[in-house]
């Protein structure tokens, strides 16, 4: 029942539902949403109990910083490296006058970086269609730019993953890369000359749209089952990873 002070102020008390007030239910729901967003991102070799262990009293300043502010440091290091390289190149080669004539690309990459951070797609997945459909850039130029952007961004992200000790399935990366390298070489040298720019645009839109729809459907499953590693890894699963990387490499043309 509302108390007299709440009634005088026109405030309604939190409703009770199954022994929990609405405020508690809202907190529980938010916690579940956070768990869903980071589902599958577990730290390698660190259990939940170990993460709750307090800092030792004799910990050094460096240890305290690396433990208490590890997330911030993991982002600060690649950010500082990227900024140093960019500003050094911009000052040396005087990039700044280009902003008045090519302002579309920085704006595109701002949007691309946001999408890249929210999904598993790189910023190049946004840069490529903008460059070929809006800016009318040649497909191979847009492709090279997109690959360069994703190579830089994903290298920085890979550093964060390693630094944070987020558990990853190395077999998927290794065998996928084994197939992707020859696939990319074949795509660049043999497959690309077979298609005209219009066909390349159509293929990109089809593949990109299919991936986006698949990602959306997957994220709609809030209680999907995830695995830390590939269970019962065997020869045929290895072949599937290699073939997947090979096909993906070919489609990079």
């Amino acid at each position: 029942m509302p108390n007299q002070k709440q009634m005088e102020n026109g405030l309604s008390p939190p409703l009770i539902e199954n022994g929990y007030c609405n405020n508690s239910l809202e907190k529980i729901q938010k916690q579940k949403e956070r768990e869903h967003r980071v589902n599958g991102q577990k730290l390698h070799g660190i259990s939940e109990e170990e993460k709750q262990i307090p800092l030792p009293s004799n910990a050094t300043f460096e240890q305290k910083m690396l433990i208490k502010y590890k997330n911030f440091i993991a982002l600060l290091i690649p950010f500082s490296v990227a900024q140093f390289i960019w500003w050094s190149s911009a000052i040396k080669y005087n990039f700044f006058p280009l902003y008045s004539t090519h302002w579309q690309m920085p704006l595109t990459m701002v949007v691309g970086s946001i999408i890249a951070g929210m999904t598993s797609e790189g910023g190049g997945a946004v840069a490529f269609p903008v460059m070929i459909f809006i800016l009318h850039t040649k497909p191979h130029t847009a492709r090279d730019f997109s690959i360069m952007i994703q190579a830089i961004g994903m290298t920085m992200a890979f550093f964060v993953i390693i630094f944070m000790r987020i558990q990853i399935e190395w077999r998927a990366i290794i065998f996928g890369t084994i197939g992707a390298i020859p696939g990319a070489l074949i795509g660049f040298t043999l497959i690309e000359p077979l298609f005209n720019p219009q066909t390349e645009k159509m293929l990109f839109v089809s593949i990109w749209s299919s991936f986006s729809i698949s990602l959306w459907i997957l994220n709609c499953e809030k209680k999907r089952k995830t695995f830390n590693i590939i269970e019962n890894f065997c020869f045929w699963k290895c072949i599937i990873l290699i073939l997947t990387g090979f096909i993906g490499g070919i489609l990079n043309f």
Side-chain angles (χ1 to χ4, degrees):
M1 294 293 293
N3 56 41
Q4 184 176 0
K5 186 175 181 179
Q6 288 175 327
M7 295 179 65
E8 291 175 355
N9 295 332
L11 299 176
S12 59
L15 299 177
I16 304 299
E17 182 178 338
N18 296 330
Y20 294 94
C21 67
N22 281 354
N23 293 341
S24 299
L25 291 173
E26 185 177 351
K27 291 180 180 179
I28 294 173
Q29 181 63 28
K30 289 182 178 180
Q31 177 65 24
K32 289 182 178 179
E33 291 177 356
R34 284 195 296 268
E35 292 175 356
H36 169 63
R37 286 195 295 269
V38 298
N39 195 13
Q41 296 184 4
K42 297 184 178 181
L43 300 183
H44 178 69
I46 301 178
S47 63
E48 293 297 326
E49 292 76 11
E50 290 175 324
K51 288 191 291 185
Q52 303 300 326
I53 298 177
L55 287 172
S57 57
N58 60 345
T60 63
F61 174 77
E62 292 80 6
Q63 290 174 332
K64 292 179 180 179
M65 291 292 293
L66 287 175
I67 295 175
K68 294 180 64 176
Y69 304 103
K70 191 172 185 178
N71 294 357
F72 177 75
I73 295 174
L75 295 176
L76 181 62
I77 293 176
F79 175 81
S80 301
V81 172
Q83 289 294 314
F84 174 78
I85 295 174
W86 189 91
W87 282 102
S88 300
S89 302
I91 294 173
K92 181 177 180 179
Y93 298 104
N94 193 21
F95 292 164
F96 305 105
L98 298 175
Y99 278 96
S100 60
T101 56
H102 296 77
W103 56 268
Q104 303 93 336
M105 286 311 303
L107 180 61
T108 299
M109 293 318 303
V110 168
V111 178
S113 62
I114 294 174
I115 295 178
M118 294 189 300
T119 68
S120 57
E121 295 192 29
V126 176
F128 186 84
V130 171
M131 293 179 72
I132 62 175
F133 292 116
I134 299 178
L135 304 180
H136 304 291
T137 307
K138 294 181 179 180
H140 68 273
T141 302
R143 177 206 63 197
D144 295 344
F145 175 81
S146 301
I147 292 177
M148 179 194 68
I149 287 295
Q150 296 198 167
I152 296 173
M154 291 186 176
T155 300
M156 299 298 177
F158 183 71
F159 169 82
V160 175
I161 291 173
I162 298 299
F163 186 85
M164 292 292 296
R165 297 178 64 186
I166 295 176
Q167 182 171 341
I168 56 179
E169 176 53 272
W170 282 104
R171 291 172 295 190
I173 295 177
I174 293 173
F175 291 114
T177 303
I178 291 174
I181 293 175
L185 294 176
I186 292 175
F188 292 152
T189 58
L190 301 179
I191 305 299
E192 182 184 12
L194 302 178
F195 296 92
N196 55 43
Q198 289 73 23
T199 305
E200 291 183 13
K201 294 178 182 180
M202 181 186 67
L203 284 173
F204 173 82
V205 172
S206 301
I207 297 171
W208 188 80
S209 300
S210 300
F211 181 82
S212 300
I213 294 173
S214 301
L215 185 63
W216 177 76
I217 294 175
L218 181 64
N219 287 332
C220 287
E221 300 179 15
K222 294 186 177 181
K223 295 184 179 180
R224 66 182 184 272
K225 188 175 182 180
T226 60
F227 301 91
N228 297 329
I229 60 174
I230 300 175
E231 295 186 342
N232 303 319
F233 191 81
C234 56
F235 177 75
W236 69 267
K237 291 184 179 181
C238 172
I239 297 300
I240 289 177
L241 291 174
I242 294 176
L243 289 177
T244 302
F246 181 76
I247 296 173
I250 290 178
L251 294 178
N252 272 322
F253 74 89

